[in-house]
Amino acid sequence: MSDFSAEAMGLVIREHRQARTPSMSQEELAERAAYGKGGAVSISRIERGLVSPGEHRLAAIALALRLTPAQLTQEAEDRTGSLARQRGRRPVKLRDQVAETKRRHAEITEKAAERSRITQEDGEAFNRVHDAARDEFFLRFVELAESIGEAPEPEMPGEEEMPGEEEIETAGEIPAAIRVEAMAVGIANAIRGAAAGGAAGAAVGGAAAYGAFTAAALFGTASTGAAISTLSGVAATNATLALLGGGTLAAGGAGMAGGTLLLTGMVAAPVAALAAAGFYVVRQRRNKKEEERLRTEVEAAEAALDQSQRGFDAMIDVLHRATEIMEYVSVHGTHALEKWRVNLPPEPRHWASLGHEGQERYREFLTVAGCLLAVSSINVSALLTARPDAVREMGRTIDETLRYADRAIKSIV
């Protein structure tokens, strides 16, 4: 695992960008690194040391700067060491020590405030497209699917017989594919239950309907009476979906980024202890004992921020990628769903009347709905509280889900 600070990586990227002839702007770097709308803001955050780019973003930035990811990483590691040595040189005079501690305190406070602002902005951006995908694709599909009678009972996926397994690029993505297909089966069973007069909640509308329906999909039972969550041993369908403090989907929670206020508090937490020491910060003069006390607390807050940086970076990267997936569903998925709707036979509809093409589209839209649910249920808050050595493994599992969902959705719509 690479060992560099966000500050060091930001400095290295900015220096390489400005060293180009002519100097490259942040907008140009964002465009060449294939950032989407508002990419210059993301580059600015990186260069200011607020966020480190994820693996795939780092590779794109390195290519845009005509470097390799290994070169950027090595330079950032070297710069991290030099910055640490600079900070380790403590001023001799008490007056200079006071000034330095005050400056470091201000930097920590500003960084925590920026983290909270970034989290809130990115969380709200995700929620906007998530809600659009929920209302315009997911619930609309459920409404149409409920009007189709005698749809066949779906089968839970297995690693040996899962459709499309030969198209999976890596063996590591097989669990992600099984999770998505298991969720699609749960959705199909909830649709069958609602069509038969059950209370899946799809008729309520909005967030409450989405919460009630997806809860039925995940926690309902198959016709055999076995809990869906236990079939094929798929752990993903046994998740509680207590998503970022936003409540469970069964309670109408907003989804992955529903607990924005909780998240903003979590990212600011490392500096909370400094509030009690604020009195000493504003004093122009303080004795040696007071200075030692504040310096110790400042260093502890700096260490806490550094320790949580990797999890914070991973969380922001996941939010960005999940937002792109949701946006694709809300635009292209909605368009494909409307084309399917206009070709459906008039009600009352029966499975056989759909024809082979219509039936295949139904199954494909189930997969898209399963992908949407899998992405929505990613627990990114756990990244903030995980130990640095655990973030990588958690990130790998999340990455598998995002990669599979993105590819599956784009292959369908």
Side-chain angles (χ1 to χ4, degrees):
M1 183 180 293
S2 299
D3 188 15
F4 57 79
S5 68
E7 178 186 8
M9 178 58 77
L11 289 172
V12 169
I13 290 175
R14 182 176 64 189
E15 289 168 3
H16 277 289
R17 176 179 62 80
Q18 294 177 340
R20 297 292 302 276
T21 306
S23 178
M24 185 188 299
S25 68
Q26 291 179 336
E27 290 80 2
E28 290 173 323
L29 177 55
E31 183 178 355
R32 296 186 186 188
Y35 275 83
K37 182 172 57 177
V41 174
S42 297
I43 297 299
S44 175
R45 291 175 178 176
I46 291 170
E47 292 187 352
R48 291 159 60 199
L50 299 173
V51 180
S52 283
E55 184 177 345
H56 65 294
R57 291 295 193 192
L58 180 63
I61 290 173
L63 181 63
L65 295 173
R66 298 180 181 176
L67 299 167
T68 66
Q71 288 175 310
L72 270 184
T73 298
Q74 185 60 57
E75 289 189 34
E77 290 177 350
D78 293 343
R79 183 63 60 87
T80 298
S82 65
L83 290 172
R85 288 189 292 273
Q86 290 175 17
R87 289 185 178 133
R89 301 191 189 102
R90 186 179 177 187
V92 176
K93 295 182 179 180
L94 179 61
R95 181 183 59 187
D96 295 333
Q97 292 175 15
V98 168
E100 181 194 39
T101 302
K102 185 176 181 180
R103 175 187 58 78
R104 290 167 67 180
H105 180 278
E107 288 179 353
I108 296 169
T109 303
E110 181 182 6
K111 186 171 185 178
E114 284 294 301
R115 277 194 183 185
S116 295
R117 184 179 62 81
I118 290 169
T119 302
Q120 184 165 352
E121 288 179 356
D122 290 354
E124 290 174 352
F126 172 83
N127 274 344
R128 284 193 295 271
V129 295
H130 167 271
D131 292 353
R134 176 198 66 198
D135 295 341
E136 297 167 14
F137 177 83
F138 190 97
L139 290 178
R140 183 56 175 149
F141 168 66
V142 167
E143 180 185 359
L144 292 171
E146 285 180 7
S147 71
I148 302 169
E150 302 176 356
E153 179 181 346
E155 296 181 2
M156 287 297 293
E159 291 190 17
E160 298 83 4
E161 56 188 27
M162 184 180 61
E165 183 175 329
E166 67 279 358
E167 297 178 0
I168 297 175
E169 293 180 359
T170 64
E173 288 184 332
I174 291 177
I178 293 177
R179 282 195 297 272
V180 167
E181 290 303 315
M183 289 182 177
V185 167
I187 293 167
N189 276 317
I191 289 171
R192 283 163 51 84
V204 179
Y210 180 66
F213 186 86
T214 51
L218 289 178
F219 306 122
T221 58
S223 60
T224 59
I228 290 174
S229 60
T230 64
L231 297 179
S232 296
V234 182
T237 57
N238 197 32
T240 62
L241 299 184
L243 308 174
L244 306 190
T248 64
L249 289 175
M256 184 171 70
T260 298
L261 293 179
L262 172 66
L263 271 177
T264 54
M266 289 174 69
V267 297
V271 298
L274 291 180
F279 172 73
Y280 295 110
V281 176
V282 298
R283 290 179 58 175
Q284 295 299 317
R285 294 183 179 181
R286 50 181 176 264
N287 60 41
K288 188 173 182 180
K289 184 177 180 181
E290 291 170 343
E291 164 58 24
E292 289 287 346
R293 171 190 167 189
L294 180 58
R295 183 173 62 84
T296 299
E297 293 182 357
V298 166
E299 289 175 348
E302 286 175 336
L305 281 174
D306 289 343
Q307 185 178 40
S308 63
Q309 183 71 52
R310 194 180 300 277
F312 176 74
D313 293 338
M315 181 193 73
I316 295 302
D317 183 60
V318 170
L319 277 174
H320 285 179
R321 295 170 65 188
T323 297
E324 291 174 359
I325 290 172
M326 291 290 169
E327 192 166 26
Y328 192 92
V329 171
S330 68
V331 175
H332 300 284
T334 302
H335 178 70
L337 185 64
E338 178 61 17
K339 288 179 63 177
W340 183 62
R341 184 195 67 81
V342 299
N343 289 312
L344 286 174
E347 295 190 54
R349 302 183 180 107
H350 297 279
W351 179 253
S353 67
L354 267 62
H356 177 73
E357 185 176 347
Q359 293 171 358
E360 282 300 305
R361 211 62 177 138
Y362 171 91
R363 295 188 181 98
E364 289 175 341
F365 287 141
L366 272 177
T367 297
V368 174
C371 287
L372 189 150
L373 189 54
V375 172
S376 298
S377 61
I378 291 172
N379 185 4
V380 294
S381 65
L383 292 167
L384 287 177
T385 56
R387 300 185 311 274
D389 58 348
V391 170
R392 186 168 188 173
E393 184 60 34
M394 294 170 61
R396 183 181 297 113
T397 301
I398 294 172
D399 179 67
E400 290 166 3
T401 298
L402 291 172
R403 285 180 183 273
Y404 180 83
D406 182 63
R407 189 169 64 253
I409 290 169
K410 289 178 179 176
S411 70
I412 293 170
V413 298

